[in-house]
Amino acid sequence: MNDNLCLIEVLKKLKESSKEAVENIQSFSPFKKYMHVPREVQIELKELIDKCSESTNSQLILVCGGVGDGKSHLISYLKEKYPYIASNFYIHNDATESFEPKKTSIDTLCDVLNDFNDENLTNGGCKKLILAINLGALSNFIDSDYKSKFLKLRNYVISKSILDSKVVDNSFDENSNFQFINFSDYHLYSLVPEGTRSEYMKELLKKITQNSSDNVFYREYSEKCLNSCICANKCPIKFNYEFLSNNNNQDKLIQILIEGIVKYKLIISTRALLNFIYDSIVNIYFESIPSDEIKDKISALDFEGYISFLTPYMLFEHKELSNIFDIVSNLDPINRRSEKLDEIIIKLNTIDNIYSLFDAYIEMAGYATLENILSDMSFIGSMKEKKDKLVKLFVRLYKFKPRIDSIDLNDKIYDEFVKNLYLQNKGNKSNLKILYKNIKESIYKWNGDSSTNTINLFIGRNQLKYKISQKHNIEPDVSTLKENKDFELYRFLPHLLIRFKKDDSNEGYEINIDYSLYLLLKKVCNGYRPNKKDKENFVSFMEFIDKIMLLGEQENSLVFEEKLGENITRYSLSFDKSFNEYTFTEV
């Protein structure tokens, strides 16, 4: 590589447009092999393949999951690394493909699975097949016109709840011709008692930043940035690479990405993640500049340009770059206001010594260029636009490198949701009491405040004068929760599965509660009344409420409430089974 060129050139290997893009590949260059990071699903799939390979029976391994979750990539990687897999198994990597123009993907799948239809399975033999298939394609196939030929496979899929939102045992079954692993059960992050972590994302960041002879990025950084670059002391790209090389900063960035996954159902492929890392280091401004002019442009950067190109600033400013940046922009710490933060922002806009405030609250060690800039008030000036950038930089930098934890930028409801996710997936019933108490309260308040153990009926439109309620007593049903003894959870439901039943029977209903619904229900507990838009956004919860209503006593007793000014009058309509008549009385 030309010595005059910048670290940017090698960082371009991370871009989605690069030929070195990691996912959806059939061959592995030395660089791709270096960048590969094992995941828990890889370990378990390899063990499953080995056991099927040793079996004397025909074995079909269903590698299931969603679109773009890395099924084909992982199979290709294992096939490349362990040649015996290709020798022992026929591998079909894409169940949506059709071999012939006149055949549909369902027809092709029937051909691929021919050795595993009901008739051929009874004929003996020992066939081995690994099939990567999306859950939607699998569902379509077992309900297609071919289902009568594949009843054993269909029954297996149903009995194992492969198509359901459940985490079930997928260990090798020596008595079955079918095995499966579901990528949808695995995530880019894991659950631990203190919250979340992602060893996978951490290892990817290490691959890019670690001091290793195999790491082409660090090698070029060492040669280009540390030894020969004339603008190294003012280079935002060098700053950003060093920023993301910091262990603490890596952890904070990973937590931001996981928060995006949990809150907004952000889907991150390996290829998209690497592209995101590139864009977090190299500002889009440099994309249109010829390589031999980049150093001149860096040398000419003013205060605002330098600040704008720093990773902690850029992360929340460029929603147009990708879906990841779009979601991350919603998590900008500048939006989490507090009395303490407002106090500091006022100081930033009025104080003369800007650097002293940064240094008091932020760990500035290693940020020499930034220190010099912040110390030079003549360079900063007093323009409002510059002060706005300083405020944003302060809050965003504090998110990563706080010297003292005096400003709370955490989302307590998010932290609470993640903690409950861990407890539920652990099957820790005793510690779920508060969760169920809060969800029950939100159910009772969904149609407005009512008396104890009563729930209001929806009577056509929201109003203040009349309310109709029914006696209603439901209780949590945690009987189906299974204890998980693992400390760190890699396979788990990413939502809360809540079930309530009638207090005197096993009749009940369940609902999946994701973060968005959890947030709404917390607001309902605090007095918020869901509006029309809320009810349209959470139709599944509306249907759940309708079912829960059926567990009440509206057929036997109703309470009517009339409010006139400060006066409230209540009436009871009850059914006397003995005399088969209704009684209406004031209570």
Side-chain angles (χ1 to χ4, degrees):
M1 184 176 289
N2 190 320
D3 287 341
N4 292 323
L5 297 184
C6 179
L7 175 64
I8 290 177
E9 292 305 308
V10 71
L11 288 172
K12 287 181 179 178
K13 286 175 172 284
L14 302 174
K15 295 179 64 176
E16 284 185 288
S17 57
S18 167
K19 65 179 181 179
E20 299 284 10
V22 170
E23 289 203 282
N24 297 321
I25 49 182
Q26 297 301 324
S27 61
F28 285 76
S29 65
F31 173 75
K32 292 170 183 174
K33 289 179 181 178
Y34 168 75
M35 289 299 295
H36 180 82
V37 176
R39 294 172 59 188
E40 188 72 15
V41 65
Q42 174 182 325
I43 297 170
E44 295 193 15
L45 177 56
K46 174 63 166 51
E47 290 177 353
L48 196 59
I49 290 174
D50 286 344
K51 290 180 179 178
C52 287
S53 182
E54 296 168 0
S55 174
T56 57
N57 299 320
S58 291
Q59 292 291 337
L60 165 63
I61 302 177
L62 298 171
V63 183
C64 313
V67 176
D69 58 10
K71 297 183 298 296
S72 296
H73 166 76
L74 182 52
I75 292 173
S76 297
Y77 173 81
L78 292 175
K79 176 183 174 183
E80 176 86 10
K81 186 171 184 179
Y82 305 103
Y84 74 87
I85 293 178
S87 302
N88 294 350
F89 291 84
Y90 174 73
I91 299 173
H92 191 64
N93 242 0
D94 188 354
T96 62
E97 284 186 348
S98 176
F99 294 147
E100 301 175 25
K102 293 183 179 181
K103 285 190 174 183
T104 66
S105 59
I106 296 292
D107 296 330
T108 300
L109 201 48
C110 180
D111 292 340
V112 171
L113 293 171
N114 182 63
D115 291 324
F116 295 89
N117 64 38
D118 296 345
E119 180 180 356
N120 289 332
L121 275 177
T122 60
N123 292 336
C126 184
K127 303 293 184 179
K128 304 290 175 70
L129 169 63
I130 298 173
L131 174 68
I133 185 168
N134 294 332
L135 292 171
L138 179 60
S139 177
N140 291 337
F141 180 74
I142 66 171
D143 287 330
S144 70
D145 292 339
Y146 294 112
K147 67 180 180 182
S148 60
K149 297 177 61 177
F150 292 89
L151 292 178
K152 291 182 179 180
L153 174 59
R154 187 175 191 275
N155 291 337
Y156 176 82
V157 171
I158 294 173
S159 67
K160 288 292 186 178
S161 300
I162 295 176
L163 300 175
D164 300 330
S165 183
K166 295 180 180 179
V167 178
V168 297
D169 179 30
N170 66 340
S171 56
F172 177 74
D173 183 355
E174 60 183 8
N175 297 316
S176 175
N177 296 114
F178 308 111
Q179 315 295 336
F180 84 98
I181 193 163
N182 192 344
F183 272 58
S184 298
D185 293 342
Y186 301 82
H187 310 273
L188 279 184
Y189 64 101
S190 57
L191 298 176
V192 288
E194 61 271 21
T196 60
R197 63 193 299 266
S198 176
E199 194 62 29
Y200 182 72
M201 286 193 272
K202 183 77 171 181
E203 287 301 315
L204 269 183
L205 284 166
K206 286 182 179 179
K207 290 281 189 180
I208 298 167
T209 60
Q210 65 188 348
N211 183 351
S212 166
S213 59
D214 296 328
N215 182 5
V216 63
F217 303 107
Y218 186 86
R219 197 164 62 238
E220 291 297 308
Y221 158 76
S222 181
E223 294 176 2
K224 299 289 190 296
C225 299
L226 297 183
N227 298 327
S228 61
C229 184
I230 59 173
C231 58
N233 291 333
K234 194 184 176 182
C235 178
I237 297 161
K238 174 179 177 288
F239 174 97
N240 294 341
Y241 184 81
E242 293 170 347
F243 183 86
L244 288 182
S245 298
N246 179 274
N247 183 66
N248 174 77
N249 293 341
Q250 291 178 358
D251 291 339
K252 293 293 178 66
L253 177 60
I254 288 169
Q255 287 304 315
I256 290 171
L257 292 174
I258 294 175
E259 189 172 345
I261 293 171
V262 174
K263 284 186 173 182
Y264 301 100
K265 296 184 170 70
L266 174 63
I267 297 174
I268 304 178
S269 66
T270 301
R271 185 166 55 181
L273 177 59
L274 293 177
N275 194 82
F276 169 77
I277 295 171
Y278 171 82
D279 286 331
S280 299
I281 299 174
V282 182
N283 189 278
I284 192 173
Y285 166 80
F286 294 106
E287 287 293 296
S288 59
I289 299 175
S291 299
D292 57 355
E293 297 179 16
I294 287 178
K295 292 183 180 181
D296 291 336
K297 295 293 184 182
I298 290 175
S299 297
L301 283 178
D302 61 8
F303 161 79
E304 290 181 87
Y306 181 78
I307 295 297
S308 299
F309 293 166
L310 300 184
T311 294
Y313 190 92
M314 288 194 301
L315 281 174
F316 307 99
E317 289 286 327
H318 294 284
K319 59 167 52 182
E320 77 283 356
L321 287 179
S322 69
N323 189 41
I324 301 179
F325 273 96
D326 186 30
I327 296 301
V328 167
S329 69
N330 295 328
L331 304 174
D332 191 346
I334 196 70
N335 297 324
R336 299 204 59 80
R337 307 305 289 270
S338 67
E339 184 177 345
K340 181 65 176 179
L341 182 57
D342 288 343
E343 175 189 323
I344 294 174
I345 289 175
I346 291 173
K347 287 184 179 179
L348 281 169
N349 280 287
T350 57
I351 197 172
D352 289 332
N353 188 350
I354 295 287
Y355 176 72
S356 65
L357 201 58
F358 270 75
D359 190 47
Y361 287 91
I362 298 169
E363 182 57 64
M364 297 296 293
Y367 299 159
T369 302
L370 189 56
E371 290 181 52
N372 293 335
I373 289 177
L374 294 174
S375 300
D376 187 356
M377 282 304 298
S378 62
F379 185 46
I380 294 175
S382 59
M383 289 177 57
K384 182 179 184 301
E385 293 80 4
K386 293 181 179 179
K387 287 295 182 70
D388 286 345
K389 284 186 181 294
L390 278 173
V391 168
K392 287 183 177 180
L393 178 65
F394 176 91
V395 178
R396 293 165 179 175
L397 203 55
Y398 181 88
K399 175 74 174 178
F400 284 89
K401 300 279 285 185
R403 183 187 291 275
I404 51 175
D405 291 326
S406 61
I407 309 173
D408 187 3
L409 297 178
N410 292 329
D411 184 338
K412 290 182 173 57
I413 294 180
Y414 166 76
D415 293 340
E416 184 181 289
F417 177 78
V418 168
K419 179 182 178 181
N420 284 320
L421 266 187
Y422 180 77
L423 292 173
Q424 180 187 268
N425 282 282
K426 279 282 290 181
N428 194 328
K429 298 177 183 180
S430 61
N431 286 327
L432 291 171
K433 288 181 180 179
I434 296 177
L435 168 66
Y436 271 88
K437 177 180 176 292
N438 291 337
I439 300 299
K440 181 178 179 178
E441 182 181 353
S442 68
I443 291 172
Y444 281 11
K445 289 184 175 181
W446 185 259
N447 287 329
D449 286 330
S450 61
S451 303
T452 304
N453 288 335
T454 65
I455 186 169
N456 293 336
L457 304 180
F458 184 65
I459 54 177
R461 64 178 181 178
N462 293 332
Q463 57 165 306
L464 300 175
K465 188 175 181 181
Y466 296 102
K467 287 196 300 187
I468 304 176
S469 58
Q470 63 166 316
K471 288 184 178 180
H472 203 283
N473 196 10
I474 55 174
E475 64 180 35
D477 183 0
V478 293
S479 59
T480 58
L481 284 183
K482 296 181 179 179
E483 183 180 1
N484 187 333
K485 295 183 179 181
D486 293 337
F487 176 82
E488 184 169 1
L489 305 182
Y490 297 96
R491 299 178 64 221
F492 56 87
L493 288 178
H495 53 255
L496 299 170
L497 183 60
I498 302 297
R499 179 178 173 83
F500 284 96
K501 66 178 182 178
K502 198 170 182 177
D503 60 347
D504 57 354
S505 74
N506 289 322
E507 182 183 6
Y509 302 98
E510 63 185 27
I511 179 72
N512 294 337
I513 298 180
D514 60 11
Y515 172 79
S516 297
L517 179 54
Y518 186 82
L519 178 62
L520 175 61
L521 297 183
K522 291 288 290 187
K523 292 166 63 178
V524 170
C525 283
N526 292 325
Y528 176 78
R529 184 77 178 269
N531 56 35
K532 182 180 179 181
K533 184 177 181 181
D534 293 324
K535 294 178 179 180
E536 289 175 349
N537 288 340
F538 299 100
V539 174
S540 62
F541 192 74
M542 288 291 295
E543 294 172 347
F544 172 71
I545 289 285
D546 290 341
K547 292 175 182 177
I548 288 293
M549 289 287 196
L550 299 177
L551 302 179
E553 300 181 15
Q554 58 180 301
E555 294 183 358
N556 300 317
S557 178
L558 291 175
V559 176
F560 296 80
E561 183 179 289
E562 180 183 27
K563 184 175 183 180
L564 295 173
E566 298 295 324
N567 299 319
I568 298 177
T569 307
R570 292 185 177 88
Y571 305 91
S572 173
L573 177 65
S574 58
F575 179 68
D576 190 331
K577 293 182 180 179
S578 300
F579 297 97
N580 197 33
E581 65 180 16
Y582 287 94
T583 303
F584 188 75
T585 57
E586 183 176 346
V587 294

